[in-house]
Amino acid sequence: MIRTAITTSPIDAAALLAEVTTDATGATALFLGTVREVNDGRAVTGIEYSAYTAMAGEELQRIAKEASERFDGLRIAVEHRVGTLALREISVAIAVAHARRAPALETSRTIIEALKQRVPIWKRESYVDGDRQWVDPTTAHVSATAP
Amino acid sequence: MIRTAITTSPIDAAALLAEVTTDATGATALFLGTVREVNDGRAVTGIEYSAYTAMAGEELQRIAKEASERFDGLRIAVEHRVGTLALREISVAIAVAHARRAPALETSRTIIEALKQRVPIWKRESYVDGDRQWVDPTTAHVSATAP
Amino acid sequence: MHQLQVLLFASYAEAFGASSVTVAVPDPATVADVVGALRRLPGGDVLPDAPLVAVDRRYAPGVVHVRAGQEIALIPPVAGG
Amino acid sequence: MHQLQVLLFASYAEAFGASSVTVAVPDPATVADVVGALRRLPGGDVLPDAPLVAVDRRYAPGVVHVRAGQEIALIPPVAGG
């Protein structure tokens, strides 16, 4: 079972847990990305996630499918949110269940690493001083844009 | 922040997530162990977890403390349930939050592996045919006991 | 020469001041030709040495041929998660 | 010789038919002495070559000395998680 989605709605982590856990699974791994208050030393008030939505949805599905092929019987649900998020809100949730813990844990990690490399989603941080910047992980700091 | 507990109450995964996630964390990793219907080829109807409760609590706390020393700023909540659990119920929950994903994911894994090695908790499976057996991971199969 | 439309997102949409641009490229053209044409547009100086390009919603290296009717997108450094 | 109480759990409690037993060991005694004495009791044949023992709620190797008043426990193979 694989379900992936790019969503504008708040992510319900408990719902994802319930979705992947069955009588046949014994281990569920959940990864959540959440908005945090400080990045690169600046106080963040919120993040706007935007996406090339059509490709992001397809790429996320490809990532989950590739990861699912390493072990039999994986159950995977992934949601990435887009739009404006407040502090502590969930930007991404990856829930993976399996009979055994190693496949669940390893698949969860595989998916978040690939997602961060490949899914066309971008984030612009808003700061306490009113400035906004696009985050560029390839330069390890934010790139300045018009506020 | 570290909180560990051996509990007789149902584990609330969402509560653990909320407990470790703050404005300063950006990644939360949750591991859940759940009761599954088949082990070693036999149909399981339920599991009874028992513990050397005093030591289990102390050992779990030591494991979390040791794991917490590898990274600054970890937030860790771990609960292991004891008593009789039905299919799909949560036996163990490990929630770890950190500013970055690698410390959260690695610490979660470190804790579950150490827990499985060191915490004095035992489980006896009940089977469809009425038999019950203590699970012995060191022999990779269950050891027969009086039903 | 023929005209190809290229989708732009996030920081690149801001740099070029549009959510898509049209470039003139040789026929047949490659992804590298498209990137070269984009680089010569106002705002094109923000592009890194090898910007990511997607063709029909999949990443495509510079040697891939592109034609009108395909969905071509210039992908800024991704920052999901 | 002196008497030490040993806590038993799970499959070992079943094997020995009790949640604790008292063993007679040399004074001073080690964890290995305690295990040897347990092995000679009815049910002691279920013990593996090197069963886990905890002293005052910490795992203790065979060479550790134990005395009356300490909390000594024989730990079956753990199966938490």
Side-chain angles (χ1 to χ4, degrees):
Chain A
M1 167 255 160
I2 299 174
R3 185 181 65 82
T4 62
I6 308 296
T7 178
T8 56
S9 306
I11 292 175
D12 181 345
L16 267 76
L17 289 173
E19 182 178 355
V20 298
T21 302
T22 70
D23 287 355
T25 62
T28 302
L30 175 72
F31 175 82
L32 300 180
T34 54
V35 177
R36 66 195 175 95
E37 64 191 344
V38 176
N39 194 18
D40 208 32
R42 300 186 68 176
V44 173
T45 57
I47 292 190
E48 178 199 344
Y49 281 90
S50 60
Y52 175 9
T53 306
M55 179 177 167
E58 292 183 11
E59 193 70 11
L60 194 52
Q61 181 70 20
R62 281 192 286 268
I63 288 168
K65 180 138 195 324
E66 289 166 19
S68 76
E69 288 164 0
R70 292 183 54 210
F71 302 99
D72 281 336
L74 287 166
R75 296 178 57 83
I76 300 171
V78 185
E79 292 189 7
H80 199 300
R81 188 167 166 200
V82 293
T84 302
L85 277 69
L87 285 182
R88 211 181 290 203
E89 281 199 280
I90 299 169
S91 54
V92 63
I94 300 169
V96 182
H98 191 267
R100 302 281 179 183
R101 71 184 179 283
L105 290 163
E106 288 164 21
T107 302
S108 166
R109 180 96 195 230
T110 298
I111 292 173
I112 183 60
E113 299 300 337
L115 185 157
K116 293 226 166 216
Q117 291 290 320
R118 292 167 46 186
V119 178
I121 293 177
W122 304 279
K123 62 181 172 188
R124 184 160 54 178
E125 293 180 337
S126 299
Y127 305 100
V128 168
D129 61 11
D131 191 19
R132 294 194 300 176
Q133 296 195 348
W134 293 101
V135 175
D136 181 353
T138 64
T139 59
H141 56 74
V142 292
S143 61
T145 63
Chain B
M1 167 253 162
I2 299 174
R3 184 181 67 81
T4 62
I6 308 295
T7 177
T8 56
S9 306
I11 293 175
D12 181 345
L16 267 76
L17 289 173
E19 181 178 356
V20 298
T21 302
T22 70
D23 287 356
T25 62
T28 302
L30 175 72
F31 175 82
L32 300 180
T34 55
V35 177
R36 66 192 174 95
E37 64 191 343
V38 177
N39 194 18
D40 207 34
R42 300 187 67 177
V44 174
T45 57
I47 291 188
E48 178 199 343
Y49 280 90
S50 61
Y52 175 9
T53 306
M55 179 178 168
E58 292 183 11
E59 192 70 12
L60 194 51
Q61 181 71 18
R62 281 192 287 267
I63 288 168
K65 179 136 197 324
E66 289 166 19
S68 75
E69 287 163 2
R70 292 183 54 210
F71 303 99
D72 281 336
L74 286 166
R75 296 178 58 81
I76 300 171
V78 184
E79 292 189 7
H80 198 301
R81 188 166 166 201
V82 292
T84 302
L85 277 68
L87 285 181
R88 210 182 290 205
E89 282 201 279
I90 298 169
S91 53
V92 62
I94 300 169
V96 182
H98 191 267
R100 302 281 178 184
R101 71 184 180 284
L105 289 163
E106 288 164 22
T107 302
S108 165
R109 180 93 193 232
T110 298
I111 292 172
I112 183 60
E113 299 301 338
L115 184 157
K116 293 226 167 216
Q117 291 289 321
R118 292 167 46 186
V119 178
I121 294 177
W122 303 278
K123 63 181 171 188
R124 183 159 55 177
E125 294 179 337
S126 299
Y127 305 100
V128 168
D129 61 10
D131 192 19
R132 294 194 300 175
Q133 295 195 348
W134 293 101
V135 176
D136 181 353
T138 63
T139 59
H141 56 74
V142 292
S143 62
T145 64
Chain C
M1 301 293 278
H2 70 319
Q3 308 283 317
L4 293 178
Q5 190 190 39
V6 180
L7 302 178
L8 301 171
F9 299 93
S11 60
Y12 291 173
E14 288 192 358
F16 288 93
S19 62
S20 73
V21 291
T22 300
V23 293
V25 289
D27 188 1
T30 64
V31 164
D33 294 328
V34 172
V35 170
L38 288 163
R39 212 183 284 285
R40 289 186 293 272
L41 293 180
D45 57 310
V46 303
L47 297 185
D49 286 347
L52 291 173
V53 173
V55 177
D56 289 341
R57 303 176 183 177
R58 286 178 182 268
Y59 291 109
V63 297
V64 165
H65 282 83
V66 288
R67 58 175 193 281
Q70 287 188 306
E71 188 171 307
I72 304 168
L74 187 63
I75 311 288
V78 302
Chain D
M1 301 293 280
H2 70 319
Q3 307 283 317
L4 294 177
Q5 191 191 38
V6 180
L7 303 178
L8 301 171
F9 299 93
S11 61
Y12 291 172
E14 288 191 358
F16 288 93
S19 61
S20 73
V21 291
T22 300
V23 293
V25 290
D27 188 0
T30 64
V31 165
D33 293 328
V34 172
V35 170
L38 288 164
R39 213 183 283 285
R40 289 187 292 273
L41 293 180
D45 56 310
V46 304
L47 297 185
D49 286 348
L52 291 172
V53 173
V55 177
D56 289 340
R57 303 176 183 179
R58 288 179 182 267
Y59 291 109
V63 296
V64 165
H65 282 84
V66 288
R67 59 176 193 282
Q70 287 188 305
E71 187 172 308
I72 304 168
L74 188 63
I75 311 288
V78 303

